[in-house]
Amino acid sequence: MTDVELAKKHGETLLKERITTIQKPFSYEETAYHLPISFALTGTAVHDRQAAADVFAKTGNNPIVASECLLAESTAVSGKEPDPYTGFISDTVIRKLGYSLVDGSILGLALVVGTPRSAGSAAAVCRELQEKYMLTFLAGPVIPRLSGAGVKLGLEYRLIPLGSTPFHGIHFVDIIARVAMMFGGVTPGDTQRLLTYAAERAKAIVIVFPGLTDEEIALVDGMRVLGFPILSLGEYEGGTWISATPEDVVRLGMEQKGIKVNVTAIPIPMGCSPAFEGKSIRKEEMYVEFGGGRSPAFELLRMRSPGEITDGQVTVIGPEIDAMKEGSANPLGIIIEVAGKTMKKDYEPVLERRIHNFVNYGEGSWHVAQRDLIWVRLSKEAVAKGVKIEHIGKLLASKFRMDFPNLLDAVSVTLITDAAKVLEAKKTADQVYDERDARIKGMHDSDVNLYYSCTLCQTFAPNHVCIITPERLALCGAISWLDGKIAYEMSPSGANQPVEKGAVINAQTGEYEGINRFVKKASHGEIERCSLYSVMEVPMTCCGCFEAIALMLPEVNGIMVVNREFKGITPSGMTFSTLAGTIGGGAQTPGFAGISKNYILSDKFLQGDGGIERLVWMPSQIKDELKARLEPKLAERGLTGFFEKIGDETTATTIEDLMVFLERVGHPALAMKPLV
């Protein structure tokens, strides 16, 4: 018996003894999945010692289950650990990560535990994980070692410090369990399907530094049942764990899970990876900024004929960073010119939106918004390392060529920091923006015979199919009909495919023969029918990435919408998280539908169920966000004053309160045809 096997056996005995000492009831907030691992394995909602003991026995004294229960009780007794530790990660955060898990900016997941012999080796491993597009979770002494070496931690850096002990690595496993239930359609209690999903679809690895106790070894080794390779950096030897060095551990782990990535270093004095995309640069961290209302700034991507531009050329017109005062706001124009045999003018706005992603890939650069609303910052730390305006141009030129090798033959970048020249160039940009808007403005679903599918999320939700129309964005809010059209032209075998509407079955609910045929095939025969404009009748499937949920409230004959940022209890009696847990994973659930927030502005919103007049409640946050655009649309439809008749958490928190409110304001839904 190897050292690992002996330690595991002893550790399982210790865990079995400890689980009988649980005394305090426990639970995690902001999840619909109770203790997610126990719930996924058995279907039992564990909140106390008796349920913990039952599940522990039912799973064959599983060390993962024991660790989950013990840590949950410890958290209930002692409270959540202070910053920087995240502890249990909410369902909302996981759903926000959903799109990143399927769009290629996160290729896999890694857990790093133990005590590194040197902070430098741990930092090198974690930096490589960032550069290889891995979302990395940390547990135990590795966290202070990294912090002491100046490594920035947090979700925004994709290095997530779960907790102070290796036992907090259990939260890595509970994330996998929830992803399986949220996105993968795994039913709680279906152990075999969970294990198959984790092994085949969760591209997860575990990296172990020395210093684990026997109980911690039992926990880590238990993760092998989920198909996670365990890679040992140090004292653990044996056939079940893979011996590795800091230099080859990431490569070995990714090879074990079939994760492939080609990363080419960009010759600039800062790291470049999607791992840095979620970071923020606060005012006190900023060396200089551009735009954001403090100075004129814009971005524009234009197609040129081959030969008009020089590939890789970066030009700065105006002052460089060393001529700018620290803390100042300066003008900026970003002009990218591209050429390629298969490039088309229609592709310009889609490629232009990638500027946002690519600038944020820089470890010390930050970008928000688009067009002439951009806001860009460079950090003091980056400038101290030698980053200049020119390097942002090199980053952009390199990333466009790397990410679109079959589309672009040449990319050149011009960065303007001279105030007068920025304003002059912006006049041309404004003309281009207007021309683009005119092409898409006013498009209706009836204007086209082809819609577009999106099956990106089948990575995690195998049977989910999104149908995108001119008047209905993808439910994640990230892909429009034009985006789908262009994506198909750029990648004919990709996730966005043309879908012929075919003969009309029901124009009001948006059901078509061609769409039904496509959805049945793309869902592997699981979904027979799909209506585009109804929550009540064969609605579109849901993957888990939706921005909001629309659901019926039969007590008030209406439909409410709740966005994933809302934390409270809705008049349905459930939180967003609980609702999302019932409809995700590729399920089709009449009465419920995942939607994008902007779909509320569409003329097709709830058309099959009576139109927007059915909308009776949504959180004040989303009401405020949409108000400036929604009120004029309501007025156009003769619904002036209707906006104030939509309830929110300030006017109604229960279904009884909502009924009183709707009767008081005379909401039209109360007099409409019954929903059910």
Side-chain angles (χ1 to χ4, degrees):
M1 191 174 283
T2 66
D3 290 344
V4 167
E5 290 167 336
L6 285 169
K8 179 189 176 189
K9 187 174 182 181
H10 184 230
E12 288 175 342
T13 301
L14 294 173
L15 287 168
K16 185 175 182 179
E17 292 172 355
R18 285 183 59 199
I19 203 167
T20 62
T21 67
I22 290 176
Q23 295 182 355
K24 186 177 177 67
F26 47 83
S27 64
Y28 289 117
E29 297 179 356
E30 298 182 13
T31 182
Y33 301 98
H34 313 285
L35 293 196
I37 302 166
S38 301
F39 190 53
L41 286 170
T42 67
T44 300
V46 177
H47 296 286
D48 56 38
R49 180 173 65 182
Q50 185 58 56
D54 291 346
V55 168
F56 186 55
K58 191 182 295 185
T59 57
N61 298 341
N62 190 307
I64 297 178
V65 170
S67 300
E68 179 180 47
C69 297
L70 289 165
L71 184 58
E73 193 221 16
S74 174
T75 302
V77 171
S78 304
K80 186 176 178 180
E81 290 191 311
D83 291 342
Y85 304 117
T86 64
F88 185 86
I89 294 175
S90 72
D91 292 353
T92 300
V93 172
I94 294 173
R95 291 185 185 280
K96 286 180 179 178
L97 287 170
Y99 194 71
S100 297
L101 290 168
V102 299
D103 72 354
S105 61
I106 294 176
L107 296 182
L109 309 173
L111 172 65
V112 181
V113 299
T115 307
R117 291 194 174 97
S118 78
S121 65
V125 168
C126 289
R127 172 53 65 92
E128 186 176 357
L129 288 165
Q130 288 176 313
E131 292 174 345
K132 297 290 178 64
Y133 298 11
M134 298 289 282
L135 179 62
T136 303
F137 298 83
L138 311 164
V142 66
I143 296 170
R145 288 288 179 93
L146 289 169
S147 296
V151 177
K152 293 181 178 179
L153 306 177
L155 183 60
E156 64 271 31
Y157 294 99
R158 299 192 183 175
L159 289 176
I160 304 171
L162 295 172
S164 62
T165 73
F167 269 113
H168 287 84
I170 198 66
H171 294 317
F172 176 72
V173 187
D174 73 46
I175 288 169
I176 302 296
R178 281 181 287 163
V179 166
M181 291 184 284
M182 285 179 184
F183 301 103
V186 172
T187 303
D190 191 340
T191 302
Q192 190 53 52
R193 191 171 178 185
L194 170 68
L195 298 181
T196 300
Y197 184 93
E200 294 180 358
R201 293 188 175 270
K203 303 295 186 181
I205 66 174
V206 181
I207 296 174
V208 185
F209 285 102
L212 300 188
T213 66
D214 288 353
E215 292 163 289
E216 291 161 354
I217 288 172
L219 165 62
V220 171
D221 193 71
M223 297 179 193
R224 289 191 299 111
V225 74
L226 297 165
F228 304 168
I230 314 298
L231 298 111
S232 170
L233 291 170
E235 63 196 35
Y236 311 109
E237 304 293 340
T240 56
W241 291 15
I242 302 166
S243 294
T245 67
E247 291 72 29
D248 65 11
V249 66
V250 176
R251 176 184 60 80
L252 286 174
M254 295 179 75
E255 286 177 353
Q256 287 286 318
K257 296 302 294 183
I259 304 170
K260 297 180 180 179
V261 59
N262 295 316
V263 178
T264 302
I266 299 174
I268 58 176
M270 65 176 172
C272 178
S273 166
F276 304 121
E277 188 178 7
K279 70 186 180 307
S280 61
I281 296 177
R282 296 185 294 272
K283 188 173 183 180
E284 61 271 20
E285 300 170 323
M286 170 198 85
Y287 183 85
V288 69
E289 66 181 343
F290 309 90
R294 296 189 61 197
S295 60
F298 73 94
E299 61 191 14
L300 182 68
L301 185 142
R302 304 295 305 275
M303 184 183 79
R304 298 301 184 198
S305 300
E308 279 191 86
I309 60 176
T310 301
D311 185 36
Q313 180 174 299
V314 175
T315 305
V316 178
I317 301 173
E320 247 298 356
I321 196 74
D322 49 13
M324 297 177 184
K325 184 179 178 182
E326 182 175 336
S328 63
N330 297 268
L332 178 67
I334 302 174
I335 300 174
I336 299 178
E337 296 175 301
V338 301
K341 295 181 181 66
T342 57
M343 177 66 190
K344 296 182 180 180
K345 190 174 181 62
D346 282 348
Y347 301 171
E348 287 179 351
V350 176
L351 293 178
E352 187 175 285
R353 283 199 288 276
R354 297 305 298 273
I355 296 173
H356 169 76
N357 302 99
F358 294 157
V359 173
N360 280 319
Y361 284 7
E363 190 173 6
S365 52
W366 175 83
H367 179 291
V368 296
Q370 59 182 325
R371 290 188 172 185
D372 58 351
L373 300 175
I374 62 169
W375 189 5
V376 179
R377 281 178 170 175
L378 295 179
S379 70
K380 294 176 184 177
E381 184 177 351
V383 173
K385 292 178 179 178
V387 171
K388 296 185 177 182
I389 305 297
E390 174 191 10
H391 296 129
I392 301 301
K394 289 183 176 180
L395 185 158
L396 289 167
S398 298
K399 286 301 297 177
F400 272 107
R401 288 288 274 118
M402 288 178 194
D403 282 29
F404 302 100
N406 299 322
L407 180 66
L408 304 179
D409 299 322
V411 179
S412 71
V413 180
T414 300
L415 299 158
I416 308 172
T417 59
D418 178 275
K421 293 179 179 178
V422 167
L423 292 173
E424 184 62 30
K426 184 176 176 297
K427 294 177 183 177
T428 300
D430 288 338
Q431 292 175 355
V432 174
Y433 302 152
D434 290 342
E435 291 169 3
R436 291 174 182 171
D437 290 342
R439 294 210 305 270
I440 190 69
K441 187 177 181 180
M443 276 192 71
H444 298 290
D445 287 0
S446 58
D447 295 336
V448 297
N449 292 319
L450 286 179
Y451 296 156
Y452 287 89
S453 68
C454 184
T455 54
L456 267 176
C457 291
Q458 286 195 353
T459 305
F460 287 91
N463 300 322
H464 171 61
V465 184
C466 219
I467 301 296
I468 306 166
T469 80
E471 296 184 76
R472 179 171 183 170
L473 276 71
L475 54 83
C476 63
I479 304 174
S480 69
W481 178 87
L482 186 58
D483 292 334
K485 176 178 183 292
I486 293 170
Y488 170 69
E489 291 181 10
M490 291 167 61
S491 178
S493 61
N496 302 113
Q497 295 291 310
V499 184
E500 289 192 16
K501 285 193 290 189
V504 177
I505 296 174
N506 187 325
Q508 192 69 14
T509 62
E511 185 176 2
Y512 299 87
E513 288 183 357
I515 290 174
N516 283 346
R517 281 194 300 271
F518 182 93
V519 167
K520 183 175 181 178
K521 181 179 179 181
S523 68
H524 313 103
E526 291 294 320
I527 306 299
E528 296 276 348
R529 299 168 55 205
C530 171
S531 62
L532 302 178
Y533 314 136
S534 175
V535 172
M536 299 300 299
E537 187 174 344
V538 290
M540 195 182 298
T541 58
C542 299
C543 62
C545 295
F546 37 78
E547 289 188 305
I549 299 170
L551 65 145
M552 66 171 177
L553 294 176
E555 300 92 337
V556 294
N557 203 36
I559 291 173
M560 69 168 238
V561 170
V562 55
N563 55 310
R564 67 183 175 200
E565 293 83 5
F566 183 67
K567 307 296 185 188
I569 302 291
T570 69
S572 70
M574 293 180 279
T575 63
F576 174 90
S577 185
T578 301
L579 289 165
T582 66
I583 68 171
Q588 184 180 63
T589 313
F592 301 78
I595 62 170
S596 70
K597 290 187 285 189
N598 277 335
Y599 180 49
I600 299 169
L601 302 170
S602 169
D603 290 342
K604 297 295 186 183
F605 177 64
L606 300 181
Q607 176 181 287
D609 307 316
I612 199 166
E613 291 96 323
R614 284 283 189 190
L615 183 59
V616 296
W617 190 93
M618 58 181 177
S620 57
Q621 179 186 12
I622 191 171
K623 284 181 69 175
D624 292 343
E625 181 180 336
L626 299 179
K627 182 177 182 178
R629 290 175 290 165
L630 183 55
E631 283 193 315
K633 284 186 169 290
L634 292 170
E636 290 172 7
R637 300 176 208 173
L639 294 172
T640 301
F642 177 77
F643 186 85
E644 286 73 26
K645 296 180 180 181
I646 303 170
D648 58 41
E649 75 277 15
T650 68
T651 55
T653 57
T654 67
I655 197 70
E656 293 79 12
D657 292 341
L658 183 58
M659 174 64 81
V660 171
F661 171 78
L662 298 177
E663 289 177 343
R664 186 173 73 248
V665 300
H667 197 289
L670 298 176
M672 295 174 74
K673 178 183 176 181
L675 274 174
V676 292

